[in-house]
């Protein structure tokens, strides 16, 4: 049987009860993956104490998941187009559940790092498969937009609920419970997928080119590693060299894709104006929001002297604003038009970021939180409809590849935003400090300054003012970027029809 025909409701173009119930299964996957990421921040001190993990091992426990996720997204998205998206989703769910059990019962830091690497690879199968299946299940553009908005809303709900869920688990159970939490979700997927989710594969897809897989990994992994190291330790030769090496492999990868009859990544997708424009704007938006979140989180904890828990609670309104905006974005797009909703969202985000340019070093919490709410709600509007544009702009047989590109751009956006805007904020911070300081460690970073100068109130006031200047400057650049994105989307997508 040609599984490519199983793409929608048996009753016609509009999806029915089976598809919407299947969406609930896919949304539970998104919810789990976001909770799994956010809960680890709370579990890290507990598992580090239990396993005796050193500082370097702790970093690898945190980072190896995102390395593997980013590295394998393109491969897994294309693999789903070839072997079947439901099949890949079920393989990934089984692997994710098994790796979660291994992680929960790890007896050493090395074992946990290996389990986290497997979780990253399994996660790379779940994200693009879920999005591609939504593309197949909801052939009506309006329904697809709603489905994608709900899917992303569940993802953001998981980010908001993760700290709360983690706190409850760690209060009553051992650190491994944070990993076991995902197992029931994966069992649900394995049981429900054959009943509720259609199978789809590209009947004309060729064999998977293993050389392209190797080249894609050689491109993505060094670049992500380099960006993370620059964000953590500054501009040093090793991370810069890693980025250069990754970029060189990327050129070889692109040249090979152009020659292959059945490429791992079909570069013809970028010939579609709506696809290329939306993917590019979402990448830049991710860069801005990652850098903004980093700077504001540091501001709350260092300049306003809040505990991590207090800072996290002040970030809850931001997450709630994103959930609401993601949910209602498709309906607004149907009423006002895709381009106007995306451009309007970026404009609202620019207003929020402009508020951050006015944040003072004393008593700026209200302004920071208000700006974050506006910026997050604003960027959620183009997110809520942008992924629908990406999925509908790509042919149905390339939905897995399109979804993987969307997810990969998100991973790169976070890495680039933290590295580039974080480095810019640090450079401005250092430039604001006088040549001679009573404690030279204060020049390294605001975190080091607060620790070293806790008994020197005058120096504390100085470094907090310097960091705030960095925040104001990064916010100004980010606001201008958002205004530029508003103009680009308005021009490039003004003729996009969300019903097609």
């Amino acid at each position: 049987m040609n599984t490519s025909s199983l793409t929608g409701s048996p009753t016609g173009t509009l999806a029915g009860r089976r598809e919407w119930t299947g969406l609930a299964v896919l949304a539970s996957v998104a919810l789990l993956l976001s909770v799994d990421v956010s809960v680890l921040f709370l579990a890290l001190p507990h598992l580090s104490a239990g396993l005796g993990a050193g500082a370097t091992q702790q970093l690898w426990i945190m980072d190896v998941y995102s390395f593997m996720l980013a590295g394998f997204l393109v491969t897994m998205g294309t693999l789903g187009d070839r072997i079947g998206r439901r099949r890949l989703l079920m393989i990934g769910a089984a692997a994710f559940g098994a790796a979660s059990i291994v992680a929960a019962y790890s007896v050493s830091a090395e074992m946990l790092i290996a389990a986290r690497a497997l979780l990253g690879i399994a996660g790379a199968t779940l994200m693009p498969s879920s999005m591609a299946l939504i593309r197949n299940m909801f052939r009506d553009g309006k329904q697809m937009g709603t489905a994608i908005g709900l899917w992303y809303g569940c993802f953001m709900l998981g980010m908001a609920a993760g700290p709360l869920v983690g706190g409850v688990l760690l209060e009553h159970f051992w650190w491994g419970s944070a990993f076991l939490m995902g197992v029931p979700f994966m069992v649900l997927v394995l049981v429900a997928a054959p009943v509720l989710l259609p199978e789809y594969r590209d009947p004309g897809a060729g064999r998977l080119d293993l050389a392209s897989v190797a080249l894609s990994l050689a491109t993505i992994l060094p670049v992500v590693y380099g960006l993370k190291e620059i964000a953590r330790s500054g501009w040093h030769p090793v991370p810069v060299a890693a980025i250069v090496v990754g970029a060189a492999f990327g050129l070889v990868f692109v040249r090979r894709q152009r020659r292959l009859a059945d490429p791992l990544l079909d570069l013809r997708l970028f010939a579609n104006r709506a696809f290329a424009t939306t993917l590019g704007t979402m990448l830049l938006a991710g860069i801005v929001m990652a850098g903004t979140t980093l700077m504001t989180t540091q501001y709350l904890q260092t300049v306003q002297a809040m505990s991590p828990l207090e800072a996290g609670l002040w970030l809850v309104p931001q997450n709630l604003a994103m959930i609401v905006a993601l949910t209602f974005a498709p309906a607004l797009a149907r009423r006002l038009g895709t381009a106007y909703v995306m451009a309007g969202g970026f404009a609202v985000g620019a207003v929020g970021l402009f508020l951050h340019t006015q944040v003072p070093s004393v008593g700026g919490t209200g302004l920071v939180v208000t700006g974050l709410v506006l910026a997050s709600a604003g960027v959620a509007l183009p997110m809520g409809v942008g992924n629908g544009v990406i999925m509908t702009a790509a042919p149905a047989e390339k939905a897995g590849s399109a979804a993987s590109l969307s997810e990969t751009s998100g991973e790169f956006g976070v890495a680039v935003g933290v590295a580039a805007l974080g480095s810019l904020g640090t450079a401005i911070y250092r430039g604001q400090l006088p040549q001679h300081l009573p404690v030279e460690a204060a020049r390294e970073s605001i975190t080091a300054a607060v620790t070293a100068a806790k008994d020197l109130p005058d120096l504390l006031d100085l470094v907090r003012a310097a960091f705030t200047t960095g925040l104001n400057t990064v916010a100004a650049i980010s606001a201008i970027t958002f205004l530029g994105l508003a103009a680009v989307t308005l021009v490039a997508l003004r003729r996009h029809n969300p019903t097609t």
Side-chain angles (χ1 to χ4, degrees):
M1 181 174 64
N2 185 352
T3 55
S4 65
S5 64
L6 301 177
T7 59
S9 170
T11 60
T13 302
L14 294 178
R17 181 181 300 175
R18 178 186 175 190
E19 284 78 16
W20 289 108
T21 308
L23 175 65
V25 175
L26 297 176
S28 70
V29 174
L31 181 69
L32 164 71
L33 291 175
S34 58
V35 168
D36 193 68
V37 171
S38 56
V39 77
L40 188 63
F41 289 100
L42 288 177
L44 187 63
H46 299 267
L47 64 88
S48 299
L51 298 177
T56 302
Q57 291 172 323
Q58 290 180 40
L59 291 176
W60 276 106
I61 289 170
M62 291 294 299
D63 288 344
V64 72
Y65 177 88
S66 59
F67 286 163
M68 295 296 103
L69 181 69
F72 280 91
L73 275 170
V74 170
T75 297
M76 294 305 180
T78 305
L79 183 62
D81 292 339
R82 285 168 163 79
I83 70 170
R85 292 158 189 170
R86 186 181 68 188
R87 177 183 295 180
L88 184 64
L89 180 76
M90 294 178 67
I91 292 171
F96 198 94
S100 296
I101 295 173
V102 174
Y105 291 100
S106 293
V107 295
S108 66
E110 292 79 9
M111 183 177 176
L112 181 56
I113 291 170
R116 289 278 295 164
L118 293 175
L119 284 169
I121 297 173
T125 69
L126 298 173
M127 300 289 278
S129 296
S130 297
M131 190 67 72
L133 283 169
I134 291 175
R135 169 72 167 85
N136 302 137
M137 294 159 61
F138 299 91
R139 290 183 289 175
D140 176 73
K142 295 179 180 179
Q143 288 190 327
M144 187 191 303
T146 301
I148 291 175
L150 291 172
W151 190 88
Y152 265 100
C154 286
F155 187 87
M156 289 309 304
L157 179 62
M159 293 295 291
L164 177 61
V165 173
V168 173
L169 287 175
L170 296 172
E171 182 73 21
H172 297 92
F173 305 101
W174 98 114
W175 58 265
S177 61
F179 294 103
L180 290 179
M181 176 182 58
V183 175
F185 286 87
M186 297 301 102
V187 172
L188 171 65
V189 171
L190 293 173
V191 172
V195 179
L196 297 172
L197 303 179
E199 182 58 287
Y200 185 98
R201 68 175 65 93
D202 180 6
R207 297 177 60 184
L208 187 68
D209 182 50
L210 295 181
S212 293
V213 173
L215 285 171
S216 72
L217 293 175
T219 298
I220 296 171
L221 293 179
V223 172
V224 174
Y225 167 79
L227 291 170
K228 283 183 172 287
E229 283 300 305
I230 288 173
R232 182 178 296 126
S233 306
W235 294 83
H236 298 294
V238 172
V240 172
I243 294 175
V244 172
V245 168
F249 276 113
L251 293 175
V252 178
F253 174 78
V254 169
R255 292 183 62 183
R256 183 172 181 84
Q257 302 316 294
R258 288 175 173 170
R259 296 198 307 266
L260 292 175
D262 296 298
L264 179 71
L265 177 61
D266 192 346
L267 299 178
R268 290 174 297 181
L269 289 171
F270 292 94
N272 185 292
R273 182 181 184 182
F275 179 92
T277 300
T278 305
L279 194 66
T281 56
M282 297 311 297
L283 172 63
L284 288 172
I287 291 172
V288 167
M289 288 307 298
T292 298
T293 302
L294 171 69
M295 294 292 292
T296 52
T297 302
Q298 288 182 319
Y299 174 88
L300 293 174
Q301 293 187 69
T302 57
V303 178
Q304 298 301 317
M306 293 183 185
S307 68
L309 178 59
E310 288 176 307
L313 290 174
W314 278 110
L315 295 177
V316 169
Q318 167 196 9
N319 292 325
L320 294 177
M322 289 197 75
I323 292 170
V324 172
L326 282 167
T327 303
F328 288 100
L332 288 174
R334 291 194 294 270
R335 181 178 296 271
L336 303 176
T338 300
Y340 292 104
V341 170
M342 292 184 69
F346 284 128
V348 171
V351 172
L353 293 170
F354 175 76
L355 292 181
H356 284 178
T357 67
Q358 308 302 307
V359 170
S361 59
V362 178
T365 301
L367 207 53
V368 163
V369 173
T370 303
L372 272 179
V373 168
L374 289 174
S376 299
V379 79
L381 291 175
M383 280 178 60
V385 298
N387 283 284
V389 174
I390 290 171
M391 297 308 297
T392 54
E397 64 272 13
K398 299 296 181 182
S401 295
S404 68
L405 283 172
S406 176
E407 300 296 339
T408 303
S409 71
E411 290 293 320
F412 269 105
V414 172
V416 173
V418 170
L421 297 184
S423 297
L424 175 62
T426 300
I428 295 171
Y429 163 78
R430 291 172 179 168
Q432 292 292 309
L433 297 177
Q435 187 173 1
H436 299 289
L437 292 172
V439 180
E440 279 302 313
R443 197 179 301 278
E444 182 65 25
S445 67
I446 182 66
T447 304
V450 170
T451 302
K454 57 184 177 181
D455 297 323
L456 301 172
D458 291 340
L459 180 56
L460 277 177
D461 292 341
L462 180 65
V463 297
R464 284 169 173 163
F467 182 86
T468 303
T469 301
L471 169 66
N472 299 151
T473 306
V474 168
I477 295 172
S478 298
I480 293 171
T481 302
F482 265 24
L483 289 176
L485 293 178
V488 168
T489 53
L490 195 60
V491 172
L493 300 177
R494 66 184 183 277
R495 294 178 181 174
H496 178 76
N497 183 359
T499 65
T500 59

